[in-house]
Amino acid sequence: MSLFRTSTYRGVGVAASIATAIGLVFGGLAIAGPASADTMPPNPANPATPPTVSAQALPTTQIDGVAWAQVVVGNTVYVAGKFTTARPAGAPAGSNTTPRSNLLAYNVATGALISTFNVPLNAQALAIAATPDGSRVYVGGDFTTAGGGNYYRIVAISTATGQIVSSFRPIMESQVRALAATNTAVYAGGTFSSVNGASRGYIAEINASNGALMTTFAASADYVVDALAVSPDGTKLYAGGRFQNMNGSSHYGLAMLNGTTGANLPFPANSVVRDAGTQAGITTLVATSDRVYGAGYVFGSGGNLEGSFAADANTGALIWLEDCHGDTYNVYPLGDALYAVGHPHDCRNVGGFPETNPRTFHHSIAFSKARTGTLTNDGNRSYFNFSGQPSPSQLNWFPDYVTGSFTGQGQAAWSLAGNSQYLVVGGEFPFVNGVAQYGLTRFAFDSVVRSNVGPNNNTALAPNATSPTAGQAKVTWTSTYDQDNTNLNYKLVRDGNTASPVYQANQLSTFWNRPAMSFTDTGLAGGSQHTYTLYVTDPDGNQINRAGNTVTIAGGGANQNPVASFVATPDGLSVSVDGSASSDPDGSVAAWAWTFGDGGTATGVTAGHTYAAAGTYTITLKVTDNRGGQATTSKPVTVTATASTTVARDAFERSVATGWGSAEVGGTWAGAGDASAYAVGSGTGQMVDPAGVTKTETLNAVSSNRTDTAVTFTTDVASSGGGIFVSAIGRQVGSIGYEGRAWISGSGAVQVQLLQGGNTLQAVPVSGLTYTAGQQLTLRVQVFGTSPTTVRAKLWPAIQAEPAAWQASVTDTTATLQATGSVGLRTYLSGAATLTPVRAKFDNYLVSVVP
């Protein structure tokens, strides 16, 4: 659709009529931001790495009209548009309203209306910009009064007081559609032909102190200026709109000017991006220290780009462009992404989503700041062919809006702004992600609000099981998608046994590219019946599941019962049992049930039990196969009251709200810092780590210089930034100790590290292991001997057999550590982590004496 429209849809946009158009705004805002990612290498393996802003829409003040433009100063969002009231998030239309005439402010962190700010305008506001020092916001539009006084289409407001700056009172002859500001001046663009009675061609510079026209700035366009942005140093002004000439020279909708004189500067990007005239134009410009971003619209002749572009802020050279079909109204750079709003409906040329019939509009999308490839051409001759031009990657960020009816233009989102924590979107939409939220909404970085937008639970996800081969089940399904993540984890469970999934893998997918997935389950008994359930989890921990059909395995016949067999190993008053030698001749063993002869019971292929007194007890194992057949075997075991080699043990089978309480063996856990960071529940000991914080639990009643520690751990979210560190302390003497540590990097790569105090003695990568959230790892650490002390460790997935070799091993003679010490567990989350907080979970903690 075009910048101006009637209700008639056409192939490239919507019919335009300047004579009947209502005024819309796409004003630019100069933003001082970090250096762009020009030099970032392309990532062909995963070009759609998700942006760090989630697709979860946060509750925000609502309006009853349209938000044309926004700017964020500190934690305050200033909104310019056409509306008469505001109401809280969740309030239905017409209820709990507060009068606000075309201008309001709200808190970006809470979404709540700022009640102390109220400057009513008598007509719509179309543009808004802040000074670099944040002391003022300038508002432009159609109004002729502001706060009850006469202010002709432009007004300055103090952010400190929320009051109009009365000394700034220029007279703009006609509509102001674009603004950009320095601390001493404001640039205006629009339809006006004079300022303070002096002739001006659609663009002007105005003195901030007194509203006087700056006569040294002599730029002049031959048609409407719709977008302005100023470089952070104030030396350059970027102008966009529907003009074909600037200062008498052809610039076709896009110009770079000297910020003092208004003289033309070279802007090579406008030899590629050509949007001007009555049926095309540049809609928005945003400047950072090294780039200028822009976007445009086209309907009919006179233009070629409906998407966005990035150009060098100093030379004007094109860095990249994306030519998604469907006009773009506003852009905003944040983090490593450029966010855009409009009505794109076909992004195939940039490797993104395709056209549908009928069309599907995605009203806010995102692209990498990095240049990652070149554009292709979809063969649609209704659009210009940019094939071969440099391009970014489309990112997987797709909030879902309902189009509004307020302007009659069939649009949803019109404007963008933000700060280091939030992205704000404004427009005329009545719903976001299926929730009523009119006209304004917010999105946050995961470090501020963890996304609750999970994978899509569509019907094609349901696993379909067949048995084309005796003893096997082939399970197939179609991968799903997520609105703000591409890398999803799939876990397939047989017959509800979530503790032992038969298949687990990660898969990249988007809503337009959903690969087929399958798994063949083997070793199943003929005639047995099974049901498979698929669990899908995104990197934010949101999970869905789909149950499939019941399948009967081919090759059925009379079931043969399993064979029960086990090994029992006593250790003092304790015994460990292992039933893995049990077997089934025509299927598989599905369950193990133990009785220990003193009333104690357990389940699972392995188990442990501690007797209250020495003696001989009969242990019985009953196994059940996958078709219900059973077998039982028993054997005696003798336990003694001699000293056990176990110095500490904890399976965390209790519930403690704060702290860890007491271990089964080893005494009371002592936690460092706030006790609320520690808890025991659901069979795990838990530590909650904010970024840059260390959490430690120790058993100070233990005193040993020959410890062998094993513990199983996992985390609730994936690693990010500098990574997650999980340690088993083998000997703690005073404030320092020896520990073995697992380091999970931000990419999921894993190292085993050996430490003495804060010093890393050795670090060894664990080959073939890439960690995903929720995966259970086992860490084993031995610390034994004095002068020297041997420290060694190994790490492996808990579902696999323990590796025979130690992965890291050193000796050390630090004097203060050649003694007995306590034991414990520790976690640390990198200060650069973006997925926070992280909850580490421990289980099966055992410390024995090294022989």
Side-chain angles (χ1 to χ4, degrees), residues 593-665:
W594 304 89
T595 59
F596 292 98
D598 66 345
T601 61
T603 59
V605 63
T606 60
H609 182 67
T610 301
Y611 294 94
T616 299
Y617 300 88
T618 299
I619 299 176
T620 299
L621 169 64
K622 180 171 71 174
V623 295
T624 305
D625 69 17
N626 56 328
R627 296 176 66 182
Q630 294 184 332
T632 301
T633 188
S634 301
K635 64 176 62 176
V637 65
T638 300
V639 295
T640 63
T642 56
S644 172
T645 60
T646 299
V647 295
R649 182 180 65 244
D650 205 341
F652 299 101
E653 296 297 333
R654 58 188 178 276
S655 180
V656 183
T658 56
W660 277 8
S662 295
E664 297 165 24
V665 177

Coordinates of all heavy atoms in Angstrom, one line a residue, residues 593-665:
A593 N 11.5 -53.0 39.1 CA 11.0 -52.7 40.5 C 11.8 -53.5 41.5 O 12.0 -54.7 41.4 CB 9.5 -53.0 40.5
W594 N 12.3 -52.7 42.5 CA 13.2 -53.3 43.5 C 12.5 -53.4 44.9 O 11.8 -52.4 45.3 CB 14.5 -52.5 43.7 CG 15.2 -52.3 42.4 CD1 15.1 -51.3 41.5 CD2 16.3 -53.1 41.9 NE1 15.9 -51.4 40.4 CE2 16.7 -52.6 40.7 CE3 16.9 -54.3 42.3 CZ2 17.7 -53.1 39.9 CZ3 17.9 -54.9 41.6 CH2 18.3 -54.3 40.4
T595 N 12.7 -54.4 45.7 CA 12.4 -54.5 47.1 C 13.7 -54.9 47.8 O 14.5 -55.8 47.3 CB 11.3 -55.4 47.4 OG1 11.6 -56.8 47.0 CG2 10.0 -55.0 46.8
F596 N 14.0 -54.3 48.9 CA 15.3 -54.5 49.6 C 15.3 -55.3 50.8 O 16.3 -55.5 51.5 CB 16.0 -53.1 49.9 CG 16.3 -52.4 48.6 CD1 15.5 -51.4 48.1 CD2 17.5 -52.6 48.0 CE1 15.8 -50.7 47.0 CE2 17.9 -51.9 46.8 CZ 17.0 -51.0 46.3
G597 N 14.2 -55.9 51.2 CA 14.1 -56.9 52.3 C 13.9 -56.2 53.6 O 13.8 -57.0 54.6
D598 N 13.8 -54.9 53.7 CA 13.5 -54.2 55.0 C 12.4 -53.3 54.8 O 12.2 -52.4 55.6 CB 14.8 -53.5 55.5 CG 15.2 -52.4 54.6 OD1 14.7 -52.3 53.4 OD2 16.0 -51.5 55.0
G599 N 11.6 -53.5 53.8 CA 10.5 -52.6 53.5 C 10.8 -51.5 52.5 O 9.9 -50.8 52.0
G600 N 12.1 -51.3 52.2 CA 12.5 -50.3 51.2 C 12.2 -50.7 49.8 O 12.3 -51.9 49.4
T601 N 11.9 -49.8 48.9 CA 11.6 -50.1 47.5 C 12.2 -49.0 46.6 O 12.6 -47.9 47.1 CB 10.1 -50.1 47.2 OG1 9.5 -48.8 47.5 CG2 9.4 -51.2 48.0
A602 N 12.4 -49.3 45.3 CA 12.9 -48.4 44.4 C 12.5 -48.8 43.0 O 12.1 -50.0 42.8 CB 14.4 -48.2 44.5
T603 N 12.6 -48.0 42.0 CA 12.4 -48.3 40.6 C 13.6 -47.8 39.7 O 14.3 -46.9 40.2 CB 11.1 -47.7 40.1 OG1 11.2 -46.3 40.2 CG2 9.9 -48.2 40.8
G604 N 13.7 -48.3 38.5 CA 14.7 -47.9 37.6 C 15.7 -49.0 37.4 O 15.9 -49.9 38.2
V605 N 16.5 -48.8 36.3 CA 17.5 -49.9 36.0 C 18.6 -50.0 37.1 O 19.1 -51.0 37.3 CB 18.0 -49.6 34.6 CG1 18.8 -48.3 34.5 CG2 18.9 -50.8 34.1
T606 N 18.9 -48.8 37.7 CA 19.9 -48.8 38.8 C 19.2 -48.1 40.0 O 18.3 -47.3 39.8 CB 21.2 -48.1 38.5 OG1 20.9 -46.7 38.1 CG2 21.9 -48.8 37.3
A607 N 19.6 -48.5 41.2 CA 19.1 -47.8 42.4 C 20.1 -48.0 43.5 O 21.1 -48.7 43.4 CB 17.7 -48.5 42.8
G608 N 19.8 -47.4 44.6 CA 20.6 -47.5 45.8 C 19.7 -47.5 47.1 O 18.6 -47.0 47.1
H609 N 20.3 -48.1 48.2 CA 19.5 -48.1 49.4 C 20.5 -48.2 50.6 O 21.5 -48.8 50.5 CB 18.6 -49.4 49.4 CG 17.7 -49.5 50.6 ND1 16.7 -48.7 50.9 CD2 17.7 -50.5 51.6 CE1 16.1 -49.0 52.0 NE2 16.7 -50.1 52.5
T610 N 20.1 -47.6 51.7 CA 20.9 -47.7 52.9 C 20.1 -48.3 54.0 O 18.9 -47.9 54.3 CB 21.3 -46.3 53.4 OG1 22.1 -45.7 52.3 CG2 22.2 -46.3 54.6
Y611 N 20.6 -49.4 54.6 CA 20.0 -50.1 55.7 C 20.2 -49.4 57.1 O 21.3 -48.8 57.3 CB 20.4 -51.5 55.7 CG 20.0 -52.3 54.5 CD1 20.9 -52.5 53.4 CD2 18.8 -52.9 54.4 CE1 20.5 -53.2 52.3 CE2 18.4 -53.7 53.3 CZ 19.3 -53.8 52.2 OH 18.9 -54.5 51.1
A612 N 19.3 -49.6 58.0 CA 19.4 -49.1 59.3 C 20.4 -49.8 60.2 O 21.0 -49.3 61.1 CB 18.1 -49.0 60.0
A613 N 20.6 -51.1 59.9 CA 21.4 -52.0 60.7 C 22.1 -53.0 59.9 O 21.7 -53.3 58.8 CB 20.6 -52.7 61.8
A614 N 23.2 -53.5 60.4 CA 24.0 -54.5 59.7 C 23.1 -55.8 59.7 O 22.3 -56.1 60.5 CB 25.3 -54.8 60.4
G615 N 23.4 -56.7 58.7 CA 22.7 -57.9 58.6 C 22.7 -58.4 57.1 O 23.2 -57.8 56.2
T616 N 22.0 -59.5 56.9 CA 21.8 -60.1 55.6 C 20.3 -59.9 55.2 O 19.4 -60.2 55.9 CB 22.1 -61.6 55.6 OG1 23.5 -61.7 55.9 CG2 21.9 -62.2 54.2
Y617 N 20.1 -59.3 54.0 CA 18.8 -59.0 53.5 C 18.6 -59.6 52.1 O 19.6 -59.8 51.4 CB 18.6 -57.5 53.4 CG 18.8 -56.8 54.7 CD1 20.0 -56.3 55.2 CD2 17.7 -56.5 55.5 CE1 20.2 -55.7 56.4 CE2 17.8 -55.8 56.7 CZ 19.1 -55.4 57.2 OH 19.2 -54.8 58.4
T618 N 17.4 -59.9 51.7 CA 17.1 -60.4 50.4 C 16.6 -59.3 49.5 O 15.6 -58.6 49.8 CB 16.0 -61.5 50.5 OG1 16.5 -62.6 51.3 CG2 15.7 -62.1 49.1
I619 N 17.3 -59.1 48.4 CA 16.9 -58.1 47.4 C 16.2 -58.8 46.3 O 16.7 -59.8 45.8 CB 18.1 -57.3 46.9 CG1 18.8 -56.6 48.0 CG2 17.7 -56.4 45.8 CD1 20.1 -55.9 47.6
T620 N 15.0 -58.3 45.8 CA 14.2 -58.9 44.8 C 14.1 -57.8 43.7 O 13.7 -56.7 43.9 CB 12.9 -59.3 45.3 OG1 13.1 -60.3 46.3 CG2 12.0 -59.9 44.1
L621 N 14.3 -58.3 42.4 CA 14.1 -57.5 41.2 C 12.9 -58.1 40.4 O 13.0 -59.3 40.1 CB 15.3 -57.4 40.4 CG 15.1 -56.8 39.0 CD1 14.7 -55.3 39.1 CD2 16.4 -56.9 38.2
K622 N 11.9 -57.2 40.1 CA 10.9 -57.7 39.2 C 11.0 -56.8 37.9 O 10.9 -55.5 38.0 CB 9.5 -57.5 39.8 CG 8.4 -58.0 38.8 CD 7.0 -58.1 39.5 CE 6.5 -56.7 39.9 NZ 5.1 -56.8 40.5
V623 N 11.1 -57.4 36.7 CA 11.2 -56.7 35.5 C 9.9 -56.9 34.7 O 9.3 -58.0 34.8 CB 12.4 -57.0 34.7 CG1 13.7 -56.6 35.4 CG2 12.4 -58.5 34.3
T624 N 9.5 -55.9 33.9 CA 8.3 -56.0 33.0 C 8.8 -55.6 31.6 O 9.4 -54.5 31.5 CB 7.2 -55.0 33.5 OG1 6.9 -55.3 34.9 CG2 6.0 -55.1 32.7
D625 N 8.4 -56.4 30.6 CA 8.8 -56.1 29.3 C 7.7 -55.2 28.6 O 6.7 -54.8 29.2 CB 9.0 -57.3 28.4 CG 7.8 -58.1 28.1 OD1 6.7 -57.6 28.3 OD2 7.9 -59.3 27.7
N626 N 8.0 -54.8 27.4 CA 7.2 -53.8 26.7 C 5.8 -54.3 26.3 O 5.0 -53.6 25.7 CB 7.9 -53.2 25.5 CG 8.4 -54.3 24.5 OD1 8.7 -55.4 24.9 ND2 8.4 -54.0 23.2
R627 N 5.6 -55.6 26.5 CA 4.2 -56.2 26.2 C 3.6 -56.7 27.5 O 2.6 -57.4 27.4 CB 4.4 -57.3 25.2 CG 4.9 -56.8 23.8 CD 5.1 -58.0 22.8 NE 3.8 -58.6 22.5 CZ 3.7 -59.7 21.6 NH1 4.8 -60.2 21.1 NH2 2.6 -60.2 21.4
G628 N 4.1 -56.3 28.6 CA 3.5 -56.7 29.9 C 4.0 -57.9 30.6 O 3.6 -58.2 31.7
G629 N 4.9 -58.7 29.9 CA 5.4 -59.9 30.5 C 6.3 -59.6 31.7 O 7.0 -58.5 31.7
Q630 N 6.4 -60.4 32.7 CA 7.2 -60.1 33.9 C 8.0 -61.3 34.3 O 7.7 -62.5 34.0 CB 6.2 -59.8 35.1 CG 5.5 -58.5 34.9 CD 4.7 -58.1 36.1 OE1 4.2 -58.9 36.8 NE2 4.4 -56.8 36.2
A631 N 9.1 -61.0 35.0 CA 10.0 -62.0 35.6 C 10.6 -61.5 36.9 O 10.7 -60.2 37.0 CB 11.1 -62.4 34.6
T632 N 10.9 -62.4 37.8 CA 11.4 -62.0 39.1 C 12.6 -62.8 39.5 O 12.7 -64.0 39.2 CB 10.3 -62.2 40.2 OG1 9.2 -61.4 39.9 CG2 10.9 -61.7 41.6
T633 N 13.6 -62.2 40.2 CA 14.8 -62.9 40.7 C 15.2 -62.3 42.0 O 14.9 -61.0 42.2 CB 15.9 -62.9 39.7 OG1 17.0 -63.8 40.2 CG2 16.5 -61.5 39.5
S634 N 15.8 -63.1 42.9 CA 16.2 -62.6 44.2 C 17.6 -63.0 44.6 O 18.0 -64.1 44.1 CB 15.2 -63.0 45.3 OG 13.9 -62.6 45.1
K635 N 18.3 -62.3 45.4 CA 19.5 -62.8 46.0 C 19.8 -62.1 47.3 O 19.3 -60.9 47.5 CB 20.7 -62.5 45.0 CG 21.0 -61.0 44.7 CD 22.2 -60.9 43.8 CE 22.0 -61.5 42.4 NZ 23.1 -61.3 41.5
P636 N 20.6 -62.7 48.2 CA 20.9 -62.1 49.5 C 22.0 -61.2 49.3 O 22.9 -61.3 48.5 CB 21.2 -63.3 50.3 CG 21.8 -64.3 49.4 CD 21.0 -64.1 48.1
V637 N 22.1 -60.2 50.3 CA 23.2 -59.3 50.3 C 23.5 -59.0 51.8 O 22.6 -58.9 52.6 CB 22.9 -58.0 49.6 CG1 21.8 -57.2 50.2 CG2 24.2 -57.1 49.5
T638 N 24.8 -59.0 52.2 CA 25.2 -58.7 53.6 C 25.8 -57.3 53.7 O 26.7 -57.0 52.9 CB 26.1 -59.8 54.1 OG1 25.5 -61.1 54.0 CG2 26.6 -59.5 55.5
V639 N 25.3 -56.5 54.6 CA 25.9 -55.2 54.8 C 26.4 -55.1 56.2 O 25.9 -55.8 57.1 CB 24.8 -54.1 54.6 CG1 24.4 -54.0 53.1 CG2 23.6 -54.3 55.5
T640 N 27.4 -54.3 56.4 CA 28.1 -54.2 57.7 C 28.1 -52.8 58.2 O 28.0 -51.8 57.4 CB 29.5 -54.7 57.6 OG1 30.3 -53.9 56.7 CG2 29.5 -56.2 57.2
A641 N 28.4 -52.6 59.5 CA 28.4 -51.3 60.0 C 29.8 -50.7 60.0 O 30.1 -49.7 60.8 CB 27.9 -51.3 61.5
T642 N 30.7 -51.2 59.2 CA 32.0 -50.6 59.1 C 31.9 -49.2 58.5 O 31.0 -48.9 57.8 CB 33.0 -51.5 58.3 OG1 32.4 -51.7 57.0 CG2 33.1 -52.8 59.0
A643 N 33.0 -48.5 58.7 CA 33.0 -47.1 58.2 C 32.7 -47.1 56.6 O 33.4 -47.8 55.9 CB 34.3 -46.4 58.5
S644 N 31.8 -46.2 56.2 CA 31.5 -46.1 54.8 C 32.6 -45.2 54.1 O 33.2 -44.3 54.7 CB 30.1 -45.6 54.6 OG 29.9 -45.3 53.2
T645 N 32.7 -45.5 52.8 CA 33.6 -44.6 52.0 C 32.8 -43.3 51.6 O 33.4 -42.4 51.0 CB 34.1 -45.3 50.8 OG1 33.0 -45.7 50.0 CG2 35.0 -46.5 51.2
T646 N 31.6 -43.2 51.9 CA 30.8 -42.1 51.5 C 30.9 -41.0 52.5 O 30.6 -41.2 53.7 CB 29.3 -42.4 51.3 OG1 29.1 -43.4 50.3 CG2 28.5 -41.2 51.0
V647 N 31.4 -39.8 52.1 CA 31.5 -38.7 53.0 C 30.4 -37.7 52.9 O 30.1 -36.9 53.8 CB 32.9 -38.0 52.9 CG1 34.0 -38.9 53.3 CG2 33.1 -37.5 51.5
A648 N 29.7 -37.7 51.7 CA 28.6 -36.8 51.5 C 27.7 -37.4 50.4 O 28.2 -37.9 49.4 CB 29.1 -35.4 51.1
R649 N 26.4 -37.2 50.6 CA 25.5 -37.7 49.6 C 24.2 -36.9 49.7 O 23.7 -36.5 50.8 CB 25.1 -39.2 49.8 CG 24.2 -39.7 48.7 CD 23.9 -41.2 48.9 NE 23.1 -41.4 50.1 CZ 23.6 -42.1 51.2 NH1 24.8 -42.7 51.2 NH2 22.8 -42.3 52.3
D650 N 23.6 -36.5 48.5 CA 22.3 -35.8 48.5 C 21.6 -36.0 47.2 O 22.1 -35.7 46.1 CB 22.5 -34.3 48.7 CG 21.3 -33.6 49.3 OD1 20.2 -34.2 49.3 OD2 21.4 -32.5 49.9
A651 N 20.4 -36.7 47.3 CA 19.6 -36.8 46.1 C 18.5 -35.7 46.1 O 17.7 -35.7 45.1 CB 18.9 -38.2 46.1
F652 N 18.5 -34.8 47.0 CA 17.6 -33.7 47.1 C 16.1 -34.1 47.0 O 15.3 -33.4 46.4 CB 17.9 -32.7 45.9 CG 19.3 -32.2 46.0 CD1 20.3 -32.7 45.2 CD2 19.7 -31.2 46.9 CE1 21.6 -32.2 45.2 CE2 21.0 -30.7 46.9 CZ 22.0 -31.2 46.1
E653 N 15.8 -35.2 47.7 CA 14.4 -35.6 47.7 C 13.7 -35.0 48.9 O 13.3 -35.7 49.8 CB 14.4 -37.1 47.8 CG 14.9 -37.8 46.6 CD 14.1 -37.5 45.3 OE1 12.9 -37.2 45.4 OE2 14.7 -37.6 44.2
R654 N 13.6 -33.7 48.9 CA 12.9 -32.9 49.9 C 12.4 -31.6 49.3 O 12.7 -31.3 48.2 CB 13.8 -32.7 51.1 CG 15.1 -31.9 50.8 CD 16.0 -31.8 52.0 NE 17.3 -31.1 51.6 CZ 18.3 -31.7 51.0 NH1 18.3 -33.0 50.7 NH2 19.4 -31.0 50.7
S655 N 11.8 -30.8 50.1 CA 11.3 -29.5 49.7 C 11.8 -28.4 50.6 O 11.4 -28.5 51.8 CB 9.8 -29.5 49.5 OG 9.3 -28.2 49.1
V656 N 12.6 -27.5 50.2 CA 13.1 -26.4 51.0 C 12.9 -25.1 50.2 O 13.4 -25.0 49.1 CB 14.6 -26.6 51.4 CG1 15.0 -25.4 52.3 CG2 14.8 -27.9 52.0
A657 N 12.2 -24.1 50.7 CA 11.9 -22.9 50.0 C 13.1 -22.0 49.8 O 13.3 -21.4 48.8 CB 10.7 -22.2 50.6
T658 N 13.9 -21.8 50.9 CA 15.1 -21.0 50.8 C 16.2 -21.8 51.5 O 16.1 -22.3 52.6 CB 14.8 -19.7 51.6 OG1 14.4 -19.9 52.9 CG2 13.8 -18.8 50.9
G659 N 17.4 -21.8 50.8 CA 18.5 -22.6 51.2 C 18.3 -24.0 50.8 O 17.4 -24.4 50.0
W660 N 19.3 -24.9 51.2 CA 19.2 -26.3 50.8 C 19.0 -27.2 51.9 O 18.9 -28.4 51.8 CB 20.6 -26.7 50.1 CG 20.6 -26.3 48.6 CD1 19.7 -25.5 47.9 CD2 21.6 -26.7 47.7 NE1 20.0 -25.4 46.6 CE2 21.2 -26.1 46.4 CE3 22.8 -27.4 47.8 CZ2 22.0 -26.3 45.3 CZ3 23.5 -27.6 46.6 CH2 23.2 -27.0 45.4
G661 N 18.9 -26.7 53.2 CA 18.7 -27.6 54.3 C 19.8 -28.5 54.6 O 21.0 -28.1 54.4
S662 N 19.6 -29.8 54.9 CA 20.6 -30.7 55.3 C 20.7 -31.8 54.2 O 19.7 -32.3 53.8 CB 20.4 -31.3 56.7 OG 20.5 -30.3 57.7
A663 N 22.0 -32.2 53.9 CA 22.2 -33.3 53.0 C 21.9 -34.6 53.7 O 21.8 -34.7 54.9 CB 23.6 -33.3 52.5
E664 N 21.6 -35.7 52.9 CA 21.4 -37.0 53.5 C 22.6 -37.5 54.3 O 22.5 -38.1 55.3 CB 21.1 -38.0 52.4 CG 19.8 -37.6 51.6 CD 19.7 -38.4 50.3 OE1 20.3 -39.5 50.2 OE2 19.0 -37.9 49.4
V665 N 23.8 -37.2 53.7 CA 25.0 -37.5 54.4 C 25.9 -36.2 54.2 O 26.1 -35.8 53.1 CB 25.7 -38.7 53.9 CG1 27.1 -38.9 54.6 CG2 24.9 -40.0 54.0

